[in-house]
Coordinates of all heavy atoms in Angstrom, one line a residue:
A5 N 6.4 5.5 -10.4 CA 5.5 5.3 -11.5 C 4.0 5.2 -10.9 O 3.1 5.8 -11.5 CB 5.8 4.1 -12.3
V6 N 3.9 4.5 -9.8 CA 2.6 4.3 -9.2 C 2.1 5.6 -8.7 O 0.9 6.0 -8.9 CB 2.6 3.3 -8.1 CG1 1.3 3.3 -7.3 CG2 2.9 1.9 -8.6
K7 N 2.9 6.4 -8.0 CA 2.6 7.7 -7.5 C 2.2 8.7 -8.6 O 1.2 9.4 -8.5 CB 3.7 8.3 -6.6 CG 3.8 7.5 -5.3 CD 5.0 8.2 -4.5 CE 5.4 7.4 -3.3 NZ 6.5 8.1 -2.6
D8 N 3.0 8.7 -9.7 CA 2.7 9.5 -10.8 C 1.4 9.2 -11.5 O 0.6 10.1 -11.8 CB 3.8 9.4 -11.9 CG 5.1 10.0 -11.4 OD1 5.1 10.9 -10.5 OD2 6.2 9.7 -12.0
H9 N 1.1 7.9 -11.6 CA -0.2 7.5 -12.1 C -1.4 8.0 -11.2 O -2.4 8.5 -11.7 CB -0.3 6.0 -12.3 CG -1.6 5.5 -12.7 ND1 -2.1 5.7 -14.0 CD2 -2.6 4.9 -12.0 CE1 -3.3 5.1 -14.1 NE2 -3.6 4.7 -12.9
L10 N -1.2 7.9 -9.9 CA -2.3 8.3 -9.0 C -2.4 9.8 -9.0 O -3.6 10.3 -8.8 CB -1.9 7.8 -7.6 CG -2.0 6.3 -7.3 CD1 -1.5 5.9 -6.0 CD2 -3.4 5.8 -7.6
R11 N -1.4 10.6 -9.2 CA -1.5 12.0 -9.2 C -2.4 12.5 -10.3 O -2.9 13.6 -10.2 CB -0.1 12.6 -9.3 CG 0.7 12.7 -8.0 CD 1.9 13.6 -8.1 NE 2.6 13.4 -6.9 CZ 3.6 12.5 -6.6 NH1 4.0 11.7 -7.6 NH2 4.2 12.5 -5.5
Q12 N -2.5 11.8 -11.4 CA -3.3 12.1 -12.5 C -4.8 12.0 -12.2 O -5.6 12.6 -12.8 CB -3.0 11.3 -13.7 CG -1.6 11.5 -14.2 CD -1.2 10.5 -15.3 OE1 -2.1 9.8 -15.9 NE2 0.0 10.4 -15.7
K13 N -5.1 11.2 -11.2 CA -6.5 10.8 -10.9 C -7.0 11.3 -9.5 O -8.2 11.4 -9.3 CB -6.7 9.3 -11.0 CG -6.2 8.8 -12.3 CD -6.8 7.5 -12.6 CE -6.3 6.9 -13.9 NZ -6.9 7.5 -15.1
F14 N -6.1 11.6 -8.6 CA -6.5 11.9 -7.2 C -5.8 13.2 -6.7 O -4.8 13.6 -7.3 CB -6.1 10.8 -6.3 CG -6.8 9.5 -6.6 CD1 -6.1 8.5 -7.3 CD2 -8.1 9.3 -6.2 CE1 -6.8 7.3 -7.5 CE2 -8.7 8.1 -6.5 CZ -8.1 7.1 -7.2
A15 N -6.4 13.8 -5.7 CA -5.8 15.0 -5.1 C -4.5 14.6 -4.4 O -4.3 13.4 -4.0 CB -6.7 15.5 -4.0
N16 N -3.6 15.5 -4.3 CA -2.2 15.2 -3.8 C -2.2 14.6 -2.4 O -1.4 13.8 -2.1 CB -1.4 16.5 -3.8 CG 0.1 16.2 -3.7 OD1 0.6 15.2 -4.2 ND2 0.8 17.1 -3.0
W17 N -3.2 15.1 -1.6 CA -3.2 14.5 -0.2 C -3.7 13.1 -0.1 O -3.5 12.4 0.9 CB -4.1 15.4 0.7 CG -5.5 15.7 0.2 CD1 -5.9 16.7 -0.6 CD2 -6.6 14.9 0.6 NE1 -7.2 16.6 -0.8 CE2 -7.7 15.5 -0.1 CE3 -6.8 13.8 1.4 CZ2 -9.0 15.0 0.0 CZ3 -8.1 13.3 1.5 CH2 -9.2 13.9 0.8
W18 N -4.2 12.5 -1.2 CA -4.6 11.1 -1.3 C -3.4 10.2 -1.7 O -3.5 9.0 -1.6 CB -5.7 10.9 -2.3 CG -7.1 11.1 -1.7 CD1 -7.5 12.2 -1.0 CD2 -8.2 10.2 -1.9 NE1 -8.8 12.0 -0.7 CE2 -9.3 10.8 -1.3 CE3 -8.4 9.0 -2.6 CZ2 -10.5 10.2 -1.2 CZ3 -9.6 8.5 -2.5 CH2 -10.7 9.0 -1.9
I19 N -2.3 10.8 -2.2 CA -1.2 10.0 -2.7 C -0.5 9.5 -1.5 O -0.1 10.2 -0.6 CB -0.3 10.9 -3.6 CG1 -1.1 11.6 -4.7 CG2 0.9 10.1 -4.2 CD1 -1.9 10.7 -5.6
P20 N -0.2 8.2 -1.5 CA 0.5 7.6 -0.4 C 2.0 8.1 -0.3 O 2.6 8.4 -1.3 CB 0.5 6.1 -0.7 CG 0.3 6.0 -2.2 CD -0.5 7.2 -2.6
D21 N 2.5 8.1 0.9 CA 3.9 8.5 1.2 C 4.8 7.4 0.6 O 5.9 7.7 0.2 CB 4.2 8.7 2.6 CG 3.4 9.9 3.2 OD1 3.1 10.8 2.4 OD2 3.0 9.8 4.4
A22 N 4.4 6.2 0.7 CA 5.3 5.1 0.2 C 4.4 4.0 -0.4 O 3.2 3.9 -0.1 CB 6.1 4.5 1.4
V23 N 5.1 3.3 -1.3 CA 4.4 2.1 -2.0 C 5.3 0.9 -1.7 O 6.5 1.0 -2.0 CB 4.3 2.4 -3.5 CG1 3.6 1.2 -4.2 CG2 3.4 3.6 -3.8
V24 N 4.7 -0.2 -1.3 CA 5.4 -1.4 -1.0 C 4.9 -2.5 -1.9 O 3.7 -2.7 -2.0 CB 5.3 -1.8 0.5 CG1 6.0 -3.1 0.7 CG2 5.7 -0.7 1.4
F25 N 5.8 -3.1 -2.6 CA 5.4 -4.2 -3.5 C 5.6 -5.6 -2.7 O 6.7 -5.8 -2.2 CB 6.2 -4.2 -4.8 CG 6.0 -3.0 -5.6 CD1 6.8 -1.9 -5.5 CD2 4.9 -2.9 -6.5 CE1 6.6 -0.8 -6.3 CE2 4.7 -1.8 -7.3 CZ 5.5 -0.7 -7.1
V26 N 4.6 -6.4 -2.7 CA 4.7 -7.7 -2.1 C 4.3 -8.8 -3.1 O 3.6 -8.5 -4.1 CB 3.8 -7.8 -0.8 CG1 4.2 -6.8 0.2 CG2 2.3 -7.5 -1.2
D27 N 4.8 -10.0 -2.9 CA 4.4 -11.1 -3.8 C 3.0 -11.5 -3.6 O 2.3 -11.9 -4.6 CB 5.4 -12.3 -3.5 CG 6.8 -12.0 -3.9 OD1 7.0 -11.2 -4.8 OD2 7.7 -12.5 -3.2
E28 N 2.5 -11.5 -2.4 CA 1.1 -11.9 -2.2 C 0.5 -11.2 -1.0 O 1.2 -11.0 0.0 CB 1.1 -13.4 -1.9 CG -0.2 -14.0 -1.8 CD -0.2 -15.6 -1.7 OE1 0.9 -16.1 -1.8 OE2 -1.2 -16.1 -1.4
I29 N -0.7 -10.8 -1.0 CA -1.4 -10.2 0.1 C -2.2 -11.3 0.8 O -2.9 -12.1 0.2 CB -2.4 -9.1 -0.4 CG1 -1.6 -8.0 -1.1 CG2 -3.2 -8.6 0.8 CD1 -2.5 -7.0 -1.7
P30 N -1.9 -11.5 2.1 CA -2.6 -12.5 2.9 C -4.1 -12.3 2.9 O -4.6 -11.2 3.1 CB -2.1 -12.4 4.3 CG -1.4 -11.1 4.4 CD -1.1 -10.7 3.0
K31 N -4.9 -13.4 2.6 CA -6.3 -13.3 2.6 C -7.0 -14.4 3.4 O -6.4 -15.4 3.7 CB -6.8 -13.5 1.1 CG -6.4 -12.4 0.2 CD -6.9 -12.6 -1.2 CE -6.4 -11.6 -2.1 NZ -6.7 -11.8 -3.5
T32 N -8.2 -14.1 3.9 CA -9.0 -15.1 4.6 C -9.5 -16.1 3.7 O -9.4 -16.0 2.4 CB -10.1 -14.4 5.4 OG1 -11.0 -13.9 4.4 CG2 -9.7 -13.3 6.3
S33 N -10.2 -17.1 4.2 CA -10.8 -18.2 3.4 C -11.9 -17.6 2.5 O -12.2 -18.2 1.5 CB -11.3 -19.3 4.3 OG -12.3 -18.8 5.1
T34 N -12.5 -16.5 2.8 CA -13.5 -15.9 2.0 C -12.9 -14.9 1.0 O -13.7 -14.2 0.3 CB -14.6 -15.2 2.9 OG1 -14.0 -14.2 3.7 CG2 -15.3 -16.2 3.8
G35 N -11.6 -14.7 1.0 CA -11.0 -13.8 0.0 C -10.8 -12.3 0.5 O -10.3 -11.5 -0.3
K36 N -11.1 -12.1 1.7 CA -10.9 -10.7 2.2 C -9.4 -10.5 2.7 O -8.8 -11.5 3.1 CB -11.8 -10.4 3.4 CG -13.3 -10.4 3.0 CD -14.1 -10.1 4.3 CE -15.6 -10.1 3.9 NZ -16.4 -9.7 5.0
F37 N -8.9 -9.3 2.6 CA -7.6 -9.0 3.1 C -7.5 -9.2 4.6 O -8.4 -8.8 5.3 CB -7.1 -7.6 2.7 CG -7.0 -7.3 1.2 CD1 -7.3 -6.1 0.7 CD2 -6.7 -8.3 0.4 CE1 -7.1 -5.8 -0.6 CE2 -6.5 -8.1 -1.0 CZ -6.8 -6.8 -1.5
M38 N -6.4 -9.8 5.0 CA -6.1 -10.0 6.4 C -5.4 -8.7 7.0 O -4.2 -8.7 7.0 CB -5.3 -11.2 6.7 CG -6.0 -12.5 6.3 SD -5.0 -14.0 6.6 CE -5.5 -14.3 8.3
K39 N -6.2 -7.7 7.3 CA -5.6 -6.4 7.7 C -4.8 -6.5 8.9 O -3.7 -5.9 9.0 CB -6.8 -5.4 7.9 CG -7.5 -5.1 6.7 CD -8.7 -4.2 7.0 CE -9.7 -4.1 5.8 NZ -10.9 -3.4 6.2
L40 N -5.1 -7.3 9.9 CA -4.4 -7.5 11.1 C -3.0 -8.0 10.8 O -2.0 -7.5 11.3 CB -5.1 -8.4 12.1 CG -4.4 -8.5 13.4 CD1 -4.1 -7.2 14.1 CD2 -5.2 -9.5 14.3
R41 N -2.9 -9.0 9.9 CA -1.6 -9.6 9.6 C -0.8 -8.6 8.8 O 0.4 -8.6 9.0 CB -1.8 -10.9 8.7 CG -0.5 -11.6 8.5 CD -0.6 -12.9 7.8 NE -1.3 -13.9 8.7 CZ -1.7 -15.1 8.3 NH1 -1.5 -15.4 7.1 NH2 -2.3 -15.9 9.1
L42 N -1.4 -7.8 7.9 CA -0.7 -6.8 7.2 C -0.1 -5.8 8.2 O 1.0 -5.3 8.0 CB -1.6 -6.1 6.2 CG -1.9 -7.0 4.9 CD1 -3.0 -6.3 4.1 CD2 -0.6 -7.2 4.1
R43 N -0.9 -5.4 9.1 CA -0.4 -4.4 10.1 C 0.7 -4.9 10.9 O 1.7 -4.2 11.2 CB -1.6 -4.0 11.1 CG -2.6 -3.1 10.4 CD -3.7 -2.7 11.4 NE -4.7 -2.0 10.7 CZ -6.0 -2.5 10.6 NH1 -6.3 -3.6 11.2 NH2 -6.9 -1.8 9.9
E44 N 0.7 -6.2 11.3 CA 1.8 -6.8 12.0 C 3.0 -6.9 11.1 O 4.1 -6.7 11.6 CB 1.4 -8.2 12.5 CG 0.3 -8.2 13.6 CD -0.3 -9.6 13.8 OE1 0.1 -10.6 13.1 OE2 -1.0 -9.7 14.8
Q45 N 2.8 -7.3 9.9 CA 3.9 -7.5 8.9 C 4.7 -6.1 8.7 O 5.9 -6.1 8.6 CB 3.4 -8.0 7.6 CG 4.5 -8.2 6.6 CD 3.9 -8.8 5.3 OE1 2.7 -9.2 5.2 NE2 4.7 -8.9 4.3
F46 N 4.0 -5.0 8.7 CA 4.6 -3.7 8.4 C 4.7 -2.8 9.6 O 4.9 -1.6 9.5 CB 3.8 -3.1 7.2 CG 4.0 -3.8 5.9 CD1 3.0 -4.6 5.5 CD2 5.1 -3.7 5.2 CE1 3.1 -5.3 4.3 CE2 5.3 -4.3 4.0 CZ 4.3 -5.1 3.5
A47 N 4.5 -3.4 10.8 CA 4.5 -2.6 12.0 C 5.9 -1.8 12.2 O 5.9 -0.7 12.6 CB 4.3 -3.4 13.2
D48 N 7.0 -2.4 11.8 CA 8.3 -1.8 12.0 C 8.8 -1.1 10.7 O 9.9 -0.7 10.7 CB 9.3 -2.9 12.4 CG 9.0 -3.5 13.8 OD1 8.4 -2.8 14.6 OD2 9.3 -4.7 14.0
W49 N 7.9 -1.0 9.7 CA 8.3 -0.4 8.5 C 8.5 1.1 8.7 O 7.7 1.8 9.3 CB 7.2 -0.6 7.4 CG 7.6 -0.2 6.1 CD1 7.3 1.0 5.6 CD2 8.3 -0.9 5.1 NE1 7.8 1.1 4.3 CE2 8.5 -0.1 4.0 CE3 8.9 -2.2 5.1 CZ2 9.1 -0.5 2.8 CZ3 9.5 -2.6 3.9 CH2 9.6 -1.7 2.8
H50 N 9.6 1.6 8.1 CA 9.9 3.1 8.2 C 9.5 3.7 6.9 O 10.0 3.3 5.8 CB 11.3 3.3 8.5 CG 11.7 2.7 9.8 ND1 11.4 3.4 11.0 CD2 12.4 1.6 10.2 CE1 11.8 2.6 12.0 NE2 12.4 1.6 11.5
W51 N 8.6 4.6 6.9 CA 8.0 5.2 5.7 C 8.8 6.5 5.2 O 8.2 7.3 4.5 CB 6.5 5.6 5.9 CG 5.7 4.4 6.3 CD1 5.3 4.1 7.5 CD2 5.3 3.4 5.4 NE1 4.6 2.9 7.5 CE2 4.6 2.4 6.2 CE3 5.4 3.1 4.1 CZ2 4.0 1.3 5.7 CZ3 4.8 2.0 3.5 CH2 4.1 1.1 4.3
D52 N 10.0 6.6 5.6 CA 10.7 7.8 5.2 C 11.2 7.7 3.8 O 11.7 7.0 3.2 CB 11.9 8.0 6.2 CG 11.5 8.2 7.6 OD1 10.4 8.7 7.8 OD2 12.2 7.9 8.5

Side-chain angles (χ1 to χ4, degrees):
V6 172
K7 289 180 189 180
D8 289 343
H9 175 74
L10 292 174
R11 278 191 187 93
Q12 297 172 12
K13 307 202 180 282
F14 297 101
N16 196 38
W17 56 272
W18 272 49
I19 307 304
D21 295 329
V23 177
V24 177
F25 296 95
V26 295
D27 293 328
E28 186 176 352
I29 297 175
K31 295 180 184 173
T32 65
S33 60
T34 59
K36 294 182 180 182
F37 294 149
M38 297 179 85
K39 295 176 194 172
L40 182 58
R41 187 174 293 169
L42 287 169
R43 288 184 189 114
E44 291 170 351
Q45 182 178 351
F46 293 101
D48 295 330
W49 186 267
H50 298 283
W51 301 102
D52 299 332

